Coordinates of all heavy atoms in Angstrom, one line a residue:
V1 N 1.1 4.0 -24.5 CA 1.9 4.9 -23.7 C 2.6 4.2 -22.6 O 2.2 3.2 -22.1 CB 1.1 6.1 -23.2 CG1 0.6 6.9 -24.4 CG2 -0.1 5.7 -22.4
F2 N 3.8 4.7 -22.2 CA 4.6 4.1 -21.1 C 5.1 5.2 -20.2 O 5.4 6.3 -20.6 CB 5.8 3.4 -21.8 CG 6.8 2.8 -20.8 CD1 6.5 1.6 -20.2 CD2 7.9 3.5 -20.5 CE1 7.4 1.1 -19.3 CE2 8.8 2.9 -19.6 CZ 8.6 1.7 -19.0
A3 N 5.1 4.8 -18.9 CA 5.7 5.7 -17.9 C 6.6 4.8 -17.0 O 6.2 3.9 -16.4 CB 4.6 6.4 -17.0
P4 N 7.9 5.2 -16.9 CA 8.8 4.4 -16.1 C 8.5 4.6 -14.6 O 8.1 5.6 -14.2 CB 10.2 4.9 -16.5 CG 9.9 6.2 -17.0 CD 8.6 6.2 -17.6
T5 N 8.7 3.5 -13.8 CA 8.6 3.6 -12.3 C 10.0 3.6 -11.7 O 10.3 4.4 -10.8 CB 7.8 2.5 -11.7 OG1 8.3 1.2 -12.2 CG2 6.3 2.6 -12.1
L6 N 10.9 2.7 -12.2 CA 12.3 2.7 -11.7 C 13.1 2.0 -12.6 O 12.7 1.2 -13.4 CB 12.3 2.1 -10.3 CG 12.0 0.6 -10.1 CD1 13.3 -0.1 -9.7 CD2 11.0 0.4 -9.1
K7 N 14.5 2.2 -12.6 CA 15.4 1.5 -13.4 C 15.7 0.2 -12.9 O 15.8 0.0 -11.7 CB 16.7 2.4 -13.6 CG 16.5 3.6 -14.4 CD 17.8 4.3 -14.7 CE 17.5 5.5 -15.6 NZ 18.6 6.3 -15.9
L8 N 16.0 -0.8 -13.8 CA 16.4 -2.1 -13.4 C 17.7 -1.9 -12.6 O 18.6 -1.3 -13.1 CB 16.6 -2.9 -14.6 CG 17.1 -4.4 -14.4 CD1 16.0 -5.2 -13.7 CD2 17.4 -5.0 -15.8
P9 N 17.8 -2.5 -11.4 CA 19.1 -2.4 -10.7 C 20.3 -2.8 -11.5 O 20.3 -3.9 -12.2 CB 18.9 -3.4 -9.5 CG 17.4 -3.4 -9.3 CD 16.8 -3.3 -10.7
G10 N 21.3 -2.0 -11.6 CA 22.5 -2.3 -12.3 C 22.4 -1.8 -13.8 O 23.4 -2.0 -14.5
S11 N 21.3 -1.3 -14.2 CA 21.1 -0.8 -15.6 C 21.0 0.7 -15.7 O 20.3 1.3 -14.8 CB 19.9 -1.5 -16.2 OG 19.7 -1.0 -17.5
R12 N 21.5 1.3 -16.7 CA 21.3 2.7 -16.9 C 20.3 3.0 -17.9 O 19.9 4.1 -18.1 CB 22.6 3.4 -17.3 CG 23.6 3.4 -16.1 CD 25.0 3.8 -16.5 NE 25.1 4.9 -17.5 CZ 26.1 5.5 -17.8 NH1 27.3 5.2 -17.2 NH2 26.1 6.5 -18.7
A13 N 19.7 1.9 -18.6 CA 18.8 2.2 -19.7 C 17.5 1.4 -19.5 O 16.5 1.9 -20.0 CB 19.5 1.8 -21.0
I14 N 17.5 0.3 -18.9 CA 16.3 -0.6 -18.8 C 15.4 -0.2 -17.6 O 15.9 -0.1 -16.5 CB 16.6 -2.1 -18.8 CG1 17.4 -2.4 -20.0 CG2 15.3 -2.9 -18.6 CD1 17.9 -3.9 -20.0
C15 N 14.1 0.1 -17.8 CA 13.2 0.5 -16.8 C 12.1 -0.4 -16.6 O 11.6 -1.0 -17.6 CB 12.7 1.9 -17.1 SG 13.8 3.2 -17.2
F16 N 11.6 -0.6 -15.4 CA 10.3 -1.1 -15.1 C 9.3 0.0 -15.2 O 9.6 1.2 -15.1 CB 10.2 -1.7 -13.6 CG 11.1 -2.8 -13.4 CD1 12.3 -2.7 -12.7 CD2 10.8 -4.1 -13.9 CE1 13.1 -3.8 -12.4 CE2 11.6 -5.2 -13.6 CZ 12.7 -5.0 -12.9
G17 N 8.1 -0.3 -15.5 CA 7.1 0.7 -15.6 C 5.7 0.2 -15.9 O 5.4 -1.0 -15.9
N18 N 4.8 1.2 -16.3 CA 3.4 0.9 -16.6 C 3.1 1.3 -18.0 O 3.7 2.3 -18.5 CB 2.5 1.7 -15.6 CG 2.7 1.3 -14.2 OD1 2.3 0.2 -13.8 ND2 3.3 2.1 -13.4
A19 N 2.3 0.5 -18.6 CA 1.9 0.8 -20.0 C 0.4 0.6 -20.2 O -0.2 -0.1 -19.6 CB 2.7 -0.1 -21.0
V20 N -0.1 1.4 -21.2 CA -1.5 1.3 -21.7 C -1.4 1.0 -23.2 O -0.8 1.7 -23.9 CB -2.3 2.5 -21.3 CG1 -3.7 2.5 -22.0 CG2 -2.4 2.8 -19.8
F21 N -2.1 0.0 -23.6 CA -2.3 -0.3 -25.0 C -3.7 -0.3 -25.4 O -4.6 -0.5 -24.6 CB -1.7 -1.7 -25.3 CG -0.3 -1.9 -24.9 CD1 0.1 -2.4 -23.7 CD2 0.7 -1.7 -25.9 CE1 1.4 -2.6 -23.3 CE2 2.0 -1.9 -25.5 CZ 2.4 -2.3 -24.2
W22 N -4.0 0.1 -26.7 CA -5.4 0.2 -27.1 C -5.4 -0.1 -28.6 O -4.4 0.0 -29.3 CB -6.0 1.5 -26.8 CG -5.4 2.7 -27.5 CD1 -5.9 3.2 -28.7 CD2 -4.3 3.4 -27.2 NE1 -5.1 4.3 -29.1 CE2 -4.1 4.4 -28.1 CE3 -3.4 3.3 -26.1 CZ2 -3.0 5.3 -28.1 CZ3 -2.3 4.3 -26.1 CH2 -2.2 5.2 -27.1
K23 N -6.6 -0.4 -29.1 CA -6.8 -0.6 -30.5 C -7.0 0.7 -31.2 O -8.0 1.4 -31.1 CB -8.1 -1.5 -30.7 CG -8.3 -1.9 -32.2 CD -9.4 -2.9 -32.3 CE -9.5 -3.4 -33.7 NZ -10.5 -4.4 -33.9
R24 N -5.9 1.1 -31.9 CA -5.9 2.5 -32.5 C -6.9 2.7 -33.6 O -7.3 3.9 -33.9 CB -4.5 2.8 -33.0 CG -3.5 2.9 -31.9 CD -2.1 3.1 -32.4 NE -2.0 4.2 -33.3 CZ -0.9 4.5 -33.9 NH1 0.2 3.8 -33.7 NH2 -0.9 5.6 -34.7
S25 N -7.4 1.7 -34.2 CA -8.5 1.9 -35.3 C -9.8 2.2 -34.6 O -10.7 2.8 -35.3 CB -8.6 0.6 -36.1 OG -9.0 -0.5 -35.4
R26 N -10.0 1.9 -33.4 CA -11.2 2.2 -32.7 C -11.2 3.4 -31.8 O -12.2 4.1 -31.6 CB -11.6 0.9 -31.8 CG -12.8 1.0 -30.9 CD -14.1 1.0 -31.7 NE -15.2 0.7 -30.8 CZ -16.0 1.7 -30.2 NH1 -15.7 2.9 -30.4 NH2 -17.0 1.3 -29.5
W27 N -10.0 3.6 -31.1 CA -9.8 4.7 -30.2 C -8.7 5.6 -30.5 O -7.7 5.2 -31.0 CB -9.6 4.1 -28.8 CG -10.6 3.2 -28.3 CD1 -10.7 1.9 -28.4 CD2 -11.8 3.6 -27.5 NE1 -11.9 1.4 -27.8 CE2 -12.5 2.5 -27.3 CE3 -12.3 4.9 -27.1 CZ2 -13.7 2.5 -26.6 CZ3 -13.4 4.9 -26.4 CH2 -14.2 3.8 -26.1
S28 N -8.9 6.9 -30.3 CA -7.8 7.9 -30.5 C -7.4 8.4 -29.2 O -8.2 8.6 -28.3 CB -8.2 9.0 -31.4 OG -9.3 9.8 -30.9
L29 N -6.1 8.7 -29.0 CA -5.5 9.2 -27.8 C -5.8 10.7 -27.7 O -5.4 11.5 -28.5 CB -4.0 8.9 -27.7 CG -3.3 9.4 -26.5 CD1 -3.7 8.6 -25.3 CD2 -1.8 9.2 -26.7
S30 N -6.5 11.1 -26.6 CA -6.7 12.5 -26.4 C -5.6 13.1 -25.6 O -5.1 14.2 -25.9 CB -8.0 12.7 -25.5 OG -9.1 12.2 -26.2
R31 N -5.1 12.4 -24.5 CA -3.9 12.8 -23.8 C -3.5 11.7 -22.9 O -4.2 10.8 -22.6 CB -4.2 14.1 -23.0 CG -5.1 14.0 -21.8 CD -5.3 15.4 -21.1 NE -5.8 15.2 -19.8 CZ -5.4 15.7 -18.7 NH1 -4.3 16.4 -18.7 NH2 -6.0 15.4 -17.5
H32 N -2.2 11.8 -22.4 CA -1.7 10.8 -21.5 C -0.8 11.5 -20.5 O -0.2 12.6 -20.8 CB -1.0 9.7 -22.2 CG 0.3 10.0 -22.8 ND1 0.4 10.8 -23.9 CD2 1.5 9.7 -22.4 CE1 1.7 11.0 -24.2 NE2 2.4 10.3 -23.3
Y33 N -0.6 10.9 -19.4 CA 0.3 11.5 -18.3 C 0.6 10.5 -17.3 O 0.0 9.5 -17.1 CB -0.4 12.7 -17.7 CG -1.9 12.5 -17.3 CD1 -2.2 12.0 -16.0 CD2 -2.9 12.7 -18.2 CE1 -3.5 11.7 -15.7 CE2 -4.2 12.4 -17.9 CZ -4.5 12.0 -16.6 OH -5.8 11.7 -16.3
A34 N 1.8 10.7 -16.7 CA 2.2 9.9 -15.6 C 1.8 10.5 -14.3 O 1.7 11.7 -14.1 CB 3.7 9.7 -15.6
L35 N 1.6 9.7 -13.3 CA 1.2 10.1 -11.9 C 2.1 9.5 -10.9 O 2.3 8.3 -10.8 CB -0.2 9.7 -11.6 CG -1.4 10.3 -12.3 CD1 -2.7 9.7 -12.0 CD2 -1.4 11.8 -12.1
F36 N 2.8 10.4 -10.1 CA 3.5 10.0 -8.9 C 4.5 8.8 -9.1 O 4.7 8.0 -8.3 CB 2.5 9.6 -7.8 CG 3.0 9.6 -6.4 CD1 3.3 10.8 -5.8 CD2 3.1 8.4 -5.7 CE1 3.8 10.8 -4.5 CE2 3.6 8.5 -4.4 CZ 3.9 9.7 -3.8
D37 N 5.1 8.7 -10.3 CA 6.0 7.7 -10.6 C 5.5 6.3 -10.4 O 6.2 5.3 -10.1 CB 7.4 7.8 -9.9 CG 8.2 9.0 -10.3 OD1 8.0 9.4 -11.5 OD2 9.0 9.5 -9.5
S38 N 4.2 6.1 -10.4 CA 3.6 4.8 -10.1 C 2.4 4.5 -11.1 O 1.9 3.4 -10.9 CB 3.1 4.7 -8.7 OG 2.1 5.7 -8.5
A39 N 2.1 5.4 -12.0 CA 1.0 5.1 -12.9 C 1.1 5.9 -14.2 O 1.8 6.9 -14.3 CB -0.3 5.5 -12.2
V40 N 0.5 5.3 -15.2 CA 0.3 6.1 -16.5 C -1.2 6.0 -16.8 O -1.8 5.0 -16.6 CB 1.1 5.4 -17.6 CG1 0.7 4.0 -17.9 CG2 1.0 6.3 -18.9
C41 N -1.7 7.2 -17.1 CA -3.1 7.3 -17.5 C -3.3 7.8 -18.9 O -2.4 8.5 -19.4 CB -3.8 8.3 -16.5 SG -3.8 7.8 -14.8
A42 N -4.3 7.3 -19.5 CA -4.6 7.7 -20.9 C -6.1 8.0 -21.1 O -6.9 7.3 -20.5 CB -4.2 6.6 -21.9
E43 N -6.3 9.1 -21.7 CA -7.7 9.5 -22.1 C -7.9 9.2 -23.5 O -7.2 9.7 -24.4 CB -8.0 10.9 -21.7 CG -7.9 11.2 -20.2 CD -8.1 12.7 -19.9 OE1 -8.7 13.4 -20.7 OE2 -7.8 13.1 -18.8
L44 N -8.9 8.4 -23.9 CA -9.2 8.0 -25.2 C -10.6 8.4 -25.6 O -11.5 8.6 -24.8 CB -9.1 6.4 -25.4 CG -7.8 5.8 -24.9 CD1 -7.9 4.3 -25.0 CD2 -6.6 6.3 -25.7
A45 N -10.7 8.6 -26.9 CA -12.0 9.0 -27.5 C -12.3 8.0 -28.6 O -11.5 7.6 -29.4 CB -12.0 10.4 -28.1
S46 N -13.6 7.5 -28.6 CA -14.0 6.5 -29.6 C -14.1 7.2 -31.0 O -14.6 8.3 -31.1 CB -15.4 6.0 -29.2 OG -15.9 5.2 -30.3
R47 N -13.5 6.6 -32.0 CA -13.6 7.1 -33.3 C -15.0 6.8 -33.9 O -15.3 7.4 -34.9 CB -12.5 6.4 -34.2 CG -11.1 6.7 -33.8 CD -10.1 6.0 -34.8 NE -8.8 6.1 -34.3 CZ -8.0 7.2 -34.6 NH1 -8.4 8.2 -35.3 NH2 -6.7 7.2 -34.2
V48 N -15.8 5.9 -33.3 CA -17.1 5.6 -33.8 C -18.2 6.5 -33.3 O -19.0 7.0 -34.0 CB -17.4 4.1 -33.5 CG1 -18.8 3.7 -33.9 CG2 -16.4 3.2 -34.1
D49 N -18.3 6.6 -31.9 CA -19.4 7.4 -31.4 C -19.0 8.5 -30.4 O -19.9 9.0 -29.8 CB -20.4 6.4 -30.7 CG -19.7 5.6 -29.6 OD1 -18.6 5.9 -29.2 OD2 -20.3 4.6 -29.2
G50 N -17.7 8.7 -30.3 CA -17.3 9.9 -29.5 C -17.2 9.6 -28.0 O -16.9 10.5 -27.2
Q51 N -17.5 8.4 -27.5 CA -17.5 8.1 -26.1 C -16.0 8.4 -25.6 O -15.1 8.1 -26.3 CB -17.9 6.7 -25.8 CG -19.3 6.4 -26.0 CD -19.7 5.0 -25.6 OE1 -19.0 4.4 -24.8 NE2 -20.7 4.4 -26.2
Q52 N -15.9 8.8 -24.3 CA -14.6 9.0 -23.7 C -14.3 7.9 -22.8 O -15.2 7.3 -22.1 CB -14.7 10.3 -22.9 CG -15.0 11.6 -23.8 CD -13.8 11.9 -24.7 OE1 -12.7 11.9 -24.3 NE2 -14.1 12.2 -25.9
L53 N -13.0 7.6 -22.6 CA -12.6 6.5 -21.7 C -11.3 7.0 -21.0 O -10.4 7.5 -21.7 CB -12.3 5.3 -22.6 CG -11.8 4.0 -21.9 CD1 -12.8 3.5 -20.9 CD2 -11.4 3.0 -22.9
L54 N -11.3 6.9 -19.7 CA -10.1 7.2 -18.9 C -9.6 5.8 -18.4 O -10.3 5.1 -17.7 CB -10.4 8.1 -17.8 CG -9.3 8.4 -16.8 CD1 -8.1 9.0 -17.4 CD2 -9.8 9.2 -15.6
M55 N -8.3 5.5 -18.7 CA -7.8 4.2 -18.2 C -6.4 4.5 -17.5 O -5.8 5.5 -17.8 CB -7.6 3.2 -19.3 CG -6.7 3.6 -20.4 SD -6.5 2.3 -21.6 CE -8.1 2.3 -22.3
C56 N -6.1 3.6 -16.6 CA -4.9 3.8 -15.8 C -4.2 2.5 -15.6 O -4.9 1.5 -15.3 CB -5.2 4.5 -14.5 SG -3.8 5.0 -13.5
S57 N -2.9 2.4 -15.7 CA -2.2 1.2 -15.3 C -1.2 1.7 -14.2 O -0.5 2.7 -14.3 CB -1.3 0.7 -16.5 OG -0.5 -0.3 -16.1
T58 N -1.2 0.9 -13.1 CA -0.4 1.4 -11.9 C 0.3 0.2 -11.2 O -0.3 -0.9 -11.2 CB -1.3 2.2 -10.9 OG1 -0.5 2.7 -9.9 CG2 -2.4 1.3 -10.3
K59 N 1.5 0.5 -10.8 CA 2.2 -0.4 -9.9 C 3.2 0.5 -9.2 O 4.1 1.1 -9.8 CB 2.9 -1.5 -10.7 CG 3.7 -2.4 -9.7 CD 4.2 -3.7 -10.4 CE 4.9 -4.5 -9.4 NZ 5.1 -5.9 -9.9
A60 N 3.1 0.6 -7.9 CA 4.0 1.4 -7.1 C 5.4 0.8 -7.1 O 5.6 -0.4 -7.1 CB 3.5 1.5 -5.7
A61 N 6.4 1.7 -7.1 CA 7.8 1.2 -7.1 C 8.1 0.4 -5.9 O 8.9 -0.6 -5.9 CB 8.7 2.4 -7.2
S62 N 7.4 0.7 -4.8 CA 7.7 -0.1 -3.5 C 7.2 -1.5 -3.7 O 7.7 -2.4 -3.0 CB 7.0 0.6 -2.3 OG 5.6 0.7 -2.6
S63 N 6.3 -1.8 -4.6 CA 5.9 -3.2 -4.7 C 7.0 -4.1 -5.3 O 7.0 -5.3 -5.1 CB 4.6 -3.2 -5.6 OG 4.9 -2.8 -6.9
Y64 N 7.9 -3.5 -6.1 CA 9.0 -4.2 -6.6 C 9.9 -4.7 -5.5 O 10.4 -5.8 -5.4 CB 9.8 -3.4 -7.6 CG 9.1 -3.1 -8.9 CD1 8.6 -1.9 -9.2 CD2 8.9 -4.1 -9.9 CE1 7.9 -1.6 -10.4 CE2 8.2 -3.9 -11.1 CZ 7.7 -2.6 -11.3 OH 7.1 -2.3 -12.5
A65 N 10.1 -3.8 -4.5 CA 11.0 -4.1 -3.4 C 10.3 -5.3 -2.6 O 11.0 -6.2 -2.2 CB 11.1 -2.9 -2.5
L66 N 9.0 -5.2 -2.4 CA 8.3 -6.3 -1.7 C 8.5 -7.6 -2.5 O 8.8 -8.7 -1.9 CB 6.8 -6.0 -1.6 CG 6.0 -7.0 -0.9 CD1 6.3 -7.0 0.6 CD2 4.5 -6.6 -1.1
E67 N 8.4 -7.6 -3.8 CA 8.6 -8.8 -4.6 C 10.0 -9.3 -4.5 O 10.3 -10.5 -4.7 CB 8.2 -8.5 -6.1 CG 6.8 -8.3 -6.3 CD 6.4 -7.9 -7.7 OE1 7.3 -7.7 -8.5 OE2 5.2 -7.6 -7.9
W68 N 11.0 -8.4 -4.3 CA 12.4 -8.8 -4.2 C 12.8 -9.2 -2.7 O 13.9 -9.4 -2.4 CB 13.3 -7.7 -4.7 CG 13.1 -7.5 -6.1 CD1 12.8 -8.3 -7.1 CD2 13.3 -6.2 -6.8 NE1 12.7 -7.7 -8.3 CE2 13.1 -6.4 -8.2 CE3 13.7 -4.9 -6.4 CZ2 13.2 -5.4 -9.1 CZ3 13.8 -3.9 -7.3 CH2 13.5 -4.2 -8.7
G69 N 11.8 -9.3 -1.8 CA 12.0 -9.8 -0.5 C 12.3 -8.8 0.5 O 12.7 -9.1 1.7
E70 N 12.2 -7.5 0.2 CA 12.5 -6.4 1.2 C 11.3 -6.2 2.0 O 10.1 -6.4 1.6 CB 13.0 -5.2 0.4 CG 14.3 -5.4 -0.3 CD 14.7 -4.1 -1.0 OE1 14.3 -3.0 -0.6 OE2 15.4 -4.2 -2.0
E71 N 11.5 -5.6 3.2 CA 10.4 -5.2 4.1 C 9.8 -3.9 3.5 O 10.5 -2.9 3.3 CB 10.9 -5.0 5.5 CG 11.3 -6.2 6.2 CD 10.1 -7.0 6.6 OE1 9.1 -6.4 7.0 OE2 10.2 -8.3 6.6
V72 N 8.5 -3.9 3.3 CA 7.8 -2.7 2.9 C 6.5 -2.6 3.7 O 5.7 -3.6 3.8 CB 7.4 -2.8 1.4 CG1 6.6 -1.6 0.9 CG2 8.7 -3.0 0.5
S73 N 6.2 -1.4 4.2 CA 5.0 -1.3 5.0 C 3.8 -1.1 4.2 O 3.9 -0.7 3.0 CB 5.2 0.0 5.9 OG 5.1 1.1 5.2
D74 N 2.6 -1.3 4.7 CA 1.4 -1.1 4.0 C 1.3 0.3 3.6 O 0.8 0.6 2.5 CB 0.2 -1.5 4.9 CG 0.0 -3.0 5.1 OD1 0.7 -3.8 4.3 OD2 -0.7 -3.4 5.9
A75 N 1.7 1.2 4.5 CA 1.6 2.7 4.1 C 2.4 3.0 2.9 O 2.0 3.8 2.0 CB 2.1 3.5 5.3
E76 N 3.6 2.4 2.8 CA 4.5 2.6 1.6 C 3.9 2.1 0.3 O 4.0 2.7 -0.7 CB 5.9 2.0 1.8 CG 6.7 2.6 2.8 CD 8.0 1.9 3.1 OE1 7.9 0.7 3.5 OE2 9.1 2.5 2.9
L77 N 3.2 1.0 0.4 CA 2.5 0.4 -0.7 C 1.2 1.2 -1.1 O 1.0 1.4 -2.3 CB 2.1 -1.1 -0.4 CG 3.2 -2.1 -0.4 CD1 2.7 -3.4 0.1 CD2 3.8 -2.2 -1.8
L78 N 0.5 1.7 -0.1 CA -0.8 2.3 -0.4 C -0.7 3.8 -0.7 O -1.6 4.3 -1.4 CB -1.7 2.1 0.8 CG -2.1 0.6 1.0 CD1 -3.0 0.5 2.3 CD2 -2.9 0.1 -0.1
H79 N 0.3 4.5 -0.3 CA 0.4 5.9 -0.5 C 0.3 6.3 -2.0 O -0.6 7.1 -2.4 CB 1.6 6.5 0.1 CG 1.8 8.0 -0.1 ND1 1.0 8.9 0.4 CD2 2.7 8.6 -0.9 CE1 1.3 10.1 0.0 NE2 2.3 10.0 -0.8
P80 N 1.1 5.7 -2.9 CA 1.0 6.1 -4.3 C -0.4 5.7 -4.9 O -0.9 6.4 -5.7 CB 2.1 5.4 -5.0 CG 2.8 4.6 -4.0 CD 2.2 4.8 -2.6
L81 N -0.9 4.6 -4.4 CA -2.2 4.1 -5.0 C -3.3 5.0 -4.6 O -4.3 5.3 -5.3 CB -2.5 2.7 -4.6 CG -1.4 1.7 -5.0 CD1 -1.8 0.3 -4.5 CD2 -1.3 1.7 -6.5
R82 N -3.3 5.5 -3.3 CA -4.3 6.5 -2.9 C -4.2 7.8 -3.7 O -5.2 8.4 -4.0 CB -4.1 6.8 -1.4 CG -4.6 5.7 -0.5 CD -4.5 6.0 0.9 NE -5.0 5.0 1.8 CZ -4.3 4.4 2.8 NH1 -3.1 4.9 3.1 NH2 -4.8 3.4 3.4
Y83 N -3.0 8.2 -4.0 CA -2.8 9.4 -4.8 C -3.4 9.2 -6.2 O -4.2 10.0 -6.7 CB -1.3 9.7 -5.0 CG -1.0 10.9 -5.8 CD1 -1.1 12.2 -5.4 CD2 -0.7 10.7 -7.2 CE1 -0.9 13.3 -6.2 CE2 -0.4 11.8 -8.0 CZ -0.5 13.1 -7.5 OH -0.3 14.2 -8.3
V84 N -3.2 8.1 -6.8 CA -3.7 7.7 -8.2 C -5.2 7.7 -8.1 O -5.9 8.2 -8.9 CB -3.1 6.4 -8.7 CG1 -3.8 6.0 -10.0 CG2 -1.6 6.6 -9.0
A85 N -5.8 7.0 -7.1 CA -7.2 6.8 -6.9 C -7.9 8.2 -6.7 O -8.9 8.5 -7.3 CB -7.5 5.9 -5.7
S86 N -7.3 9.1 -6.0 CA -7.8 10.4 -5.8 C -7.8 11.2 -7.1 O -8.8 11.9 -7.4 CB -7.0 11.2 -4.8 OG -7.4 12.5 -4.6
H87 N -6.8 11.1 -7.9 CA -6.7 11.7 -9.2 C -7.8 11.2 -10.1 O -8.5 12.0 -10.8 CB -5.4 11.6 -9.8 CG -5.4 12.1 -11.3 ND1 -5.3 13.4 -11.5 CD2 -5.5 11.4 -12.4 CE1 -5.3 13.6 -12.9 NE2 -5.5 12.4 -13.4
L88 N -8.0 9.9 -10.1 CA -9.0 9.3 -11.0 C -10.4 9.7 -10.6 O -11.3 10.0 -11.4 CB -8.9 7.8 -11.0 CG -7.6 7.3 -11.7 CD1 -7.6 5.7 -11.6 CD2 -7.5 7.7 -13.2
E89 N -10.6 9.8 -9.3 CA -11.9 10.3 -8.8 C -12.2 11.7 -9.2 O -13.3 12.0 -9.7 CB -12.0 10.1 -7.3 CG -13.3 10.5 -6.7 CD -13.3 10.4 -5.2 OE1 -12.2 10.3 -4.5 OE2 -14.4 10.3 -4.6
N90 N -11.2 12.6 -9.1 CA -11.4 14.0 -9.5 C -11.5 14.1 -11.0 O -12.3 15.0 -11.5 CB -10.2 14.8 -9.1 CG -10.2 15.0 -7.6 OD1 -11.2 14.9 -6.9 ND2 -9.0 15.2 -7.0
A91 N -10.8 13.2 -11.8 CA -10.9 13.3 -13.3 C -12.3 12.8 -13.8 O -12.7 13.3 -14.8 CB -9.8 12.5 -13.9
A92 N -12.9 11.9 -13.1 CA -14.2 11.3 -13.5 C -15.2 12.3 -13.2 O -16.1 12.7 -13.8 CB -14.4 10.0 -12.8

């Protein structure tokens, strides 16, 4: 599953984003969703023993700006991650 975070500057089609991959013969997708334009989460169920797994891939859009040399505050970097962490805590 994939959730875009932002479009590549100058492009109308190419996006940066987060993705989750899994071995489909072992796990089945129960549901997936994007959070706060900074994460994609997937809930999987084992095809073998029914165990449940919640996984998340996250990268805040502000972190791209930091990598490109722009000034980004700690608060700007942490805000979306705190939101994602809170959601995962509630989901668990």
Side-chain angles (χ1 to χ4, degrees):
V1 293
F2 176 79
T5 54
L6 68 115
K7 288 189 178 173
L8 178 68
S11 174
R12 292 173 35 173
I14 300 173
C15 296
F16 293 104
N18 296 293
V20 173
F21 300 91
W22 67 95
K23 188 172 183 176
R24 290 177 54 186
S25 62
R26 173 74 162 93
W27 299 92
S28 65
L29 180 67
S30 300
R31 71 183 194 127
H32 73 287
Y33 44 92
L35 292 174
F36 201 67
D37 292 334
S38 63
V40 62
C41 297
E43 294 180 18
L44 305 176
S46 171
R47 294 182 188 274
V48 176
D49 58 14
Q51 290 184 25
Q52 299 288 317
L53 179 65
L54 172 62
M55 64 176 68
C56 186
S57 173
T58 186
K59 181 170 180 165
S62 56
S63 67
Y64 292 106
L66 182 67
E67 291 172 0
W68 295 331
E70 296 179 27
E71 289 286 324
V72 179
S73 71
D74 287 347
E76 290 174 301
L77 288 171
L78 293 175
H79 177 69
L81 300 177
R82 286 185 178 127
Y83 177 82
V84 170
S86 174
H87 171 79
L88 293 176
E89 183 179 20
N90 291 334

